Amino acid sequence: MYISLDWLKQHVVLPKDLDPKELGLKLTLATVEVEGWEDLGLMLDKVIVGQVEKVESHPNADKLKLVKVNIGNKDLIKVVCGGVNLKEKMLVALALPGAKVRWHGEGNLIELEKTQIRGEESYGMICASDEIGLGELFPCEEGAILDLSFEQLQLGQSLSEALGLDDIVYEIDNKSLTNRPDLWGHYGLAREVAAIYGNKLNEYNLNKIKNSKEIDLTVQVKEKELCPRYLAVALEGVRVGSSPDWLKKYLRSIGQKSINNIVDITNYVMYELGQPLHAFSADKITDNLILVRKAKPAEKLVTLDGEERELNEDDLVIADKEKAIALAGVMGNANSEIIDSTKTVIIESANFDPVSIRKTANRLNLRTEAAIRFEKGLDPNNAEIALKKAVNLMQDLIPGAKVVSEIVDVSNFKLNQGPIELTWNFINKRIGFEVNKKQVVKTLESLGFEVKEVKEKLSLKIPTWRATKDVSIKEDIIEEISRIYGYDNIEPVMPEIKMDVPEENKLRKLERKIKNICSVGLDANEVYNYSFADQKFLHQINQGIVDFVELENPWTPKQSYLRQNLIPGLLKNVVDNLRFYSDLNIFEIGKVFIDNYQGVLCRNEGKERLPEQPLICAGVLVSEKDKEASFVEGKKFINFLFDQLGVKFNYEVSGSELVWQHPKQTLNIMVDKEKVGYLTNLHPQLTQNLDLNKTVTLWQIDLTKLIQYYPTQVKYQEPAKFPAIELDLSILVNEEVQWKDIKNIVQSVSPQLIKQVDLFDVYKSGKIKVGKKSIAFTIKYQSDDRTLEMNEVEGLQKKIIEQLEKGLKAEVRK
Amino acid sequence: MQKELEKLRKEAVEAMGQLNDLDDLENFEIQYLGRKDGKLNNILKSLKDLSKEERAVIGKLANEIKEEILADLSLVKEKMEKAAVEEKLQSDIIDVSLSGQKKQTGSLNPTTIVQYELEDIFRSMGFKVLDGPEVESDFNNFEALNIPEHHPARDMQDTFYIKNKGKNNKEGKKVLRTHTSPVQVRAMQKYGAPLKAIVPGRVFRYESIDASHENTFYQLEGLMIDKDISIANLIAVMNTLLKGIFKKEIKTRLRPGFFPFVEPGFELDINCLICEGQGCSVCKQTGWLELLPCGMVHPNVLKAGGIDPEEYSGFAFGLGLTRLAMMRYGIGDIRLFNSGDLRFLKQFK
């Protein structure tokens, strides 16, 4: 929203030497966010009104013309111009050397100089509207220059003067006004400015209106809840024409185009008081009867923008006996629009239910100036003031305009004006220091509160314009007092609180520990993927979407579902990153979503539950290794991870339960007989689908399950008292022989004395023997009660070899 | 025997002259002075056959000779060791310019790094670290936070809604949480007052993605509830927090901001870190950066959390973790965080 300083000055006295920047800053710190301000006069410095006298072709350029511009004296200004709409006698905005313009409406302001364009002198520039900051007000076609011929302007006059654009204009962030229905017009903001500066707000004066009963205007409000107040009045003898300069100037300064006197007046009142008005052509309304009713199912209406809209029973319309004539609080209907021949108008000033307006405006995507005001909850009292102001203006500006009906007022509202009661003690405690009572009372009064002080208590009557929703509790008053006092003037004070050790969040601790182990200890790279599941990619990896949590309003079809697993996202990362890397080691920790509604409660005392959202950790290893080596690498990863976590686990052979699991190369990770995760090689089908020529090993751990076993108390063991003897053994076995069988045979020879059997090498090569593999491992012998003698150990080693030869047909390599 | 000893002395001096290296030296030592079969010891083996007087003389001589040999030997040894080091210095040639082979190193998402840093700051100030569901009830995400349906404040947080499949829908819609604030309510219900907690986590907004907008990003919510918590307290804690984050005093300003779950609500701006308040493109020439929405917890929210607003008050604040990470590392494109692009991610340790 734009706010004009001149306009504000109509309502509040401001210091003569006011720094516009300072006012903007003060508003930002006390009331609303001022996003910027602009000195319109400065923008248009050295831009004047000129008339195109002569257009000749440029000798060296087809698209350029040589133009002579009349600026009201004898000398014609020679300019080179390429405007596509250039014609003789046209009124144009001529920027002279020294003016600041924005080339083609983009980039920074550039100071204009006398120049040569393709060998021809140019003493200025004929501007397009966006080159001088008027693009919004006077939109130009691409390549066209601003045509000012619609207005009678004095040649040579500065453009800012000619258009009345010498104001200072503030741009206010609409979002910061969400809770302040009273600030959607200049008068409301003037009240804030008055409170901030400690100055007086001018009273809002209205002339008395002489009623008449020539027209029997009737209003019937069928929906009292949705329309708490409806005022209307008819005026005859209006002549639709152009508005006076002062009115045009105000509207222009805030970026509004002048349309005609009637529309301009209703707009002016809205931007002044924040109350939207609507004007109907009276001759289009049957029997001078206005109904406020709900739309009928599938009722149709053509809004002023020319669009046909289909309504439903949630929408509120203004109608006569036969037809809807406006979409209440949102936009008028073309069938009752003011046209040049309109003689009698009916002006509406009403108050509508904010929720109803918001629903309709949002559904039809019609976020009009009226709708964004009504949805904030306007003060019904303001409707009356606005209507009267509009009638005053019509009678002032249109000679012969005459009120021909009563001011009809159907009113069904009640406001909660309090009082709010609060003690000085409460105020001091919540703000954090002892306030100056006199200053507080002055602040509240300047904001419109009626203040009664009884002993240590304040009793406050809420002004009507703040009573719709905005102010209702003690804490609201704390805000009023402290923001006008200035938050920056409050001395920071550290709270005095009891010391305690914060309770530890175990799951967070586990998550953090794993991230640390994976990144620092296991050299893995953490990725974040979206919580959405890409159906197309899932299809590519043969994953259906049954039992996926689905979104009602996905932004793109790629994000229609929520992920049930981290693996698909990680596989996508693999595909994307293999362009740049040959080996990958990535992991992610994140929530996944199960469509089972067995998660935490939706709300504290309710019954329904949210979808389960376990915290999962998963990763992928990609390399050129063979599948076995890659799988072993994965095991090394998991072993290290669990060792660091101090959680004991074992592997259990598993088939394929998920599409990416290899049916014969999958191990479940078991802790205390509970499956907490798995390790698998990527299913060859998926390797093929994704066109991967690498070995991919995947792992996953469900942290929501693992957490029960973490953290474990470390059980330390005393260092062994007697020395250990370690002997290596290298054997040749058939390729199919599994390590776990070798290990079992070795251990069975002497479970007491053989403390550890560690694999350190597996080697397959035609050089050894086809169909064979070499396996090398270390056996650790140790006794708990004596020092082992070498010959005893050698005896055991021999026995092991015998057993291996017998059981697995192993050959010892020398 | 005396003769034998003298002969040995002579022989030893000669042999010492022939020594070439430390190995020779060791052999020499064993050969002449060794306990088991050394030449000196072998001579002395017949000492027991001599008279007491003779023994004293011979013993003295033998000792002299031993000392002499040892002293000479240590000189030779010193010389040889020096020479050996000298030789190593000459012959041990390596190419120190060879580059160290690259070791694969792990990395963390920059958001994770900033998140853990903040968690540590807050834990040191006594805050609990909490978590909550990402698919949340509309009730906790909005209504319990004083944002009823059709409230214009919902415009500020465009929302992804979960499709209702006909089950579990009596208690309202489910949404992808638009902020970490719903955990406020859950935390109050669970722990009551007093309470100090932060909630780092993933949040979602229904909007289009470009270099500065994401539909998935991270926030850190903070909450402190106790008796007589004031606006002055909020300012002090926020300033301390910012000092912890930026490792220096940060100039701040507080201005009104509207968030229905706080009253009063504020926007906390910090002096632009790039231009230090002079005005630059990052701060849009204002000298200030909007960083931290905060406010005094609305009494309705305290009530929804089961806490008596007459007895307790508190403040809440929200930090954009992703945004903070962008500021910290000067990351210009928010989309990189969720890109999975290792060329980006591998840089953050």
Side-chain angles (χ1 to χ4, degrees), chain A residues 203-209 272-273 384-393:
Chain A
E203 232 169 273
Y204 203 77
N205 290 323
L206 294 165
N207 300 331
K208 221 170 167 230
I209 294 165
E272 167 134 310
L273 291 168
E384 184 181 338
I385 300 168
L387 185 81
K388 288 180 174 166
K389 180 70 182 178
V391 172
N392 283 176
L393 282 172

Side-chain angles (χ1 to χ4, degrees), chain A residues 479 508 528 530-531 552 607, chain B residues 112 161 171 200 214 263:
Chain A
E479 174 168 41
R508 285 265 183 203
Y528 285 5
Y530 288 100
S531 302
E552 186 178 283
K607 282 193 187 114
Chain B
T112 301
Y161 288 94
E171 292 177 18
E214 248 292 3
E263 186 62 52

Side-chain angles (χ1 to χ4, degrees), chain A residues 12-23:
Chain A
V12 60
V13 179
L14 284 170
K16 282 236 156 56
D17 56 349
L18 176 91
D19 175 2
K21 194 176 166 185
E22 187 203 75
L23 174 61

Side-chain angles (χ1 to χ4, degrees), chain A residues 358-359 479 493-494 505 508 512 523 525-526 528-531 548 550 552-553 577 602 607 613, chain B residues 103 107 109 112 120 129 134 137 150 155 159 161 163 165 170-171 200 202 214 233 240 263 340:
Chain A
R358 189 177 150 78
K359 276 188 184 167
E479 174 168 41
V493 182
M494 261 295 175
N505 184 332
R508 285 265 183 203
R512 185 164 174 175
D523 305 329
N525 303 108
E526 186 192 17
Y528 285 5
N529 283 309
Y530 288 100
S531 302
F548 273 57
E550 193 177 348
E552 186 178 283
N553 57 336
N577 278 294
C602 285
K607 282 193 187 114
Q613 300 165 47
Chain B
K103 183 185 187 303
S107 59
N109 192 294
T112 301
D120 290 343
V129 183
E134 288 171 10
S137 60
H150 302 299
D155 282 352
T159 310
Y161 288 94
K163 196 172 210 168
K165 293 180 182 166
K170 290 197 191 76
E171 292 177 18
R202 180 176 271 207
E214 248 292 3
N233 292 158
T240 308
E263 186 62 52

Side-chain angles (χ1 to χ4, degrees), chain B residues 27-63:
Chain B
N27 286 336
F28 173 89
E29 227 180 323
I30 296 166
Q31 200 184 338
Y32 285 88
L33 306 175
R35 260 171 209 274
K36 269 190 174 169
D37 206 23
K39 286 188 175 171
L40 184 64
N41 261 1
N42 285 348
I43 295 175
L44 293 180
K45 271 176 193 160
S46 44
L47 207 61
K48 59 181 187 299
D49 305 331
L50 296 184
S51 70
K52 201 179 169 188
E53 290 76 26
E54 275 174 325
R55 247 189 277 172
V57 176
I58 298 294
K60 203 180 157 210
L61 179 66
N63 225 18

Side-chain angles (χ1 to χ4, degrees), chain A residues 262-282:
Chain A
I262 311 293
V263 177
D264 287 359
I265 285 169
T266 56
N267 280 340
Y268 175 83
V269 171
M270 176 170 75
Y271 290 114
E272 167 134 310
L273 291 168
Q275 168 70 43
L277 301 178
H278 188 67
F280 299 102
S281 229

Side-chain angles (χ1 to χ4, degrees), chain B residues 135-235:
Chain B
V135 169
E136 184 49 283
S137 60
D138 183 275
F139 179 80
N140 278 334
N141 194 72
F142 290 120
E143 275 181 62
L145 294 171
N146 212 24
I147 316 172
E149 213 186 340
H150 302 299
H151 191 289
R154 290 206 176 196
D155 282 352
M156 292 189 237
Q157 301 191 356
D158 289 324
T159 310
F160 283 109
Y161 288 94
I162 304 299
K163 196 172 210 168
N164 167 24
K165 293 180 182 166
K167 47 188 173 180
N168 287 279
N169 61 348
K170 290 197 191 76
E171 292 177 18
K173 290 191 161 182
K174 320 281 179 289
V175 301
L176 281 176
R177 68 174 175 193
T178 56
H179 47 185
T180 38
S181 308
V183 186
Q184 278 190 24
V185 185
R186 291 188 182 272
M188 283 187 242
Q189 286 164 350
K190 186 169 175 192
Y191 298 102
L195 179 62
K196 277 178 291 173
I198 56 160
V199 189
R202 180 176 271 207
V203 299
F204 307 84
R205 296 285 166 86
Y206 178 75
E207 62 179 33
S208 63
I209 297 177
D210 60 32
S212 47
H213 297 89
E214 248 292 3
N215 62 22
T216 304
F217 55 97
Y218 283 74
Q219 272 188 350
L220 186 143
E221 183 88 5
L223 180 68
M224 175 167 184
I225 296 167
D226 212 319
K227 284 187 175 149
D228 297 330
I229 294 292
S230 66
I231 298 173
N233 292 158
L234 175 145
I235 300 172

